[in-house]
Amino acid sequence: MKRMKKFGIMMLALTIGLVSCGKSGDAKKKAAEEEIPNVQVQQVKIQDVEQTAQLTATVLPEVKNNISPSTPGRIRKIMVEVGAFVSKGQRLVQMDAANLSNLETQVENYQRMYNRVAELFSVGGASQQELDNAKLQLDVAKTNLQNLAENTYLLSPTAGVVTARNYDNGDIYSGQLPILTVMQINPVKLVINVSESYYAQVKLGMPATIRFDIFEGQTFQGKVSLIYPTIDERTRSFSVEIKLNNSNYKVRPGMFGRVELNFGTAKRIVVPDMAVVKQTGSGEYFVYVYKDGAVIFQKVELGRRLGNEYEIISGLNDGDQVVVSSQTKLADGRKVNLVK
């Protein structure tokens, strides 16, 4: 009986202790929830913000020519090396000339034959048909000679620099790779992909500022030379060619460039970067807007970063007060105290 009495007393004490602890924990939790955080706010306003698009591109030659004959054959002589500057019409490669010599002789024979028939025709010793046939044979032979000459002595179609050589003297050209590649690198061009939102603002001749990581601190000035007429439905962007004068050949194809286009100014709200909260895992940005003693978790669309501020494209109104401190303690609709 005594044991049962002691056991009852112990259970009662344990129950009282658990209830007491539970009440204490609830009280602490409630107190923490009722604690109102102190925040600092800053009023935003509309101001003029320079509208620029900063894009990347790779330098391309103005013209790229692959130098090859129209048919396979033996390469007798390659007259230039990689890196050589060549002029338009300069001989670059000599192919096997045996067929050319034979055809030159054939053209001379057809020319003499035509001359004789023409003399006979003038005195009535040959018919018009005989004269026409002789002329046709001569013209065909001359055309074949011209084609063969163009494929025996390969000329540069443009002024530029030799950027590739795939064969040596004596090799048989197989048609798989060009013998030489010549690039015109004055001017050069950069192709950029611009957001469709700027389509109506990009104009031919518009200036572009170009920077290259390899030339630190230097800027180059180019111009919009071509605007592609369609929008890529996957990227919602369109291509634009920027032409850059390169008379000193300083810029070379393959370089990485950064292009900046300036579209003037626009009225935008600007907020301190301390006010912007990035939502983890979503890529979306928010700010806390103070109103009537509480904060609202407001989604915003960011524009350019301007030093220690951000351009806001949408989501805020002129005169809104945004929180610039203690965001980790806040939640949508929570009451706050303002402090200076």
Side-chain angles (χ1 to χ4, degrees), residues 89 256 276 314:
F256 176 78
V276 178
S314 65

Side-chain angles (χ1 to χ4, degrees), residues 26 89 105 108 116 145 153 187 207 272 279:
D26 289 343
T105 302
E108 290 174 0
R116 286 197 298 270
L145 178 61
Y153 296 99
Q279 192 171 55

Side-chain angles (χ1 to χ4, degrees), residues 79-150:
M79 304 172 186
V80 291
E81 295 294 338
V82 172
F85 284 88
V86 298
S87 57
K88 183 177 181 179
Q90 180 178 334
R91 285 187 176 183
L92 304 180
V93 180
Q94 179 184 340
M95 302 298 290
D96 191 344
N99 292 335
L100 180 65
S101 179
N102 293 336
L103 193 51
E104 286 174 339
T105 302
Q106 188 177 1
V107 169
E108 290 174 0
N109 290 334
Y110 281 128
Q111 184 68 59
R112 285 194 293 269
M113 184 183 301
Y114 172 76
N115 292 340
R116 286 197 298 270
V117 174
E119 289 177 5
L120 290 171
F121 177 77
S122 65
V123 295
S127 66
Q128 181 66 51
Q129 184 177 1
E130 288 175 320
L131 180 64
D132 291 343
N133 289 339
K135 182 67 165 61
L136 178 61
Q137 287 179 319
L138 177 60
D139 290 344
V140 170
K142 284 183 175 180
T143 300
N144 291 338
L145 178 61
Q146 182 179 354
N147 290 337
L148 187 58
E150 290 176 354

Side-chain angles (χ1 to χ4, degrees), residues 63-75:
V63 176
K64 178 181 178 181
N65 292 119
N66 291 320
I67 310 300
S68 300
S70 59
T71 58
R74 186 172 298 280
I75 301 169

Side-chain angles (χ1 to χ4, degrees), residues 94 218 237 253 258:
Q94 179 184 340
Q218 297 184 46
S237 64
R258 304 178 188 276

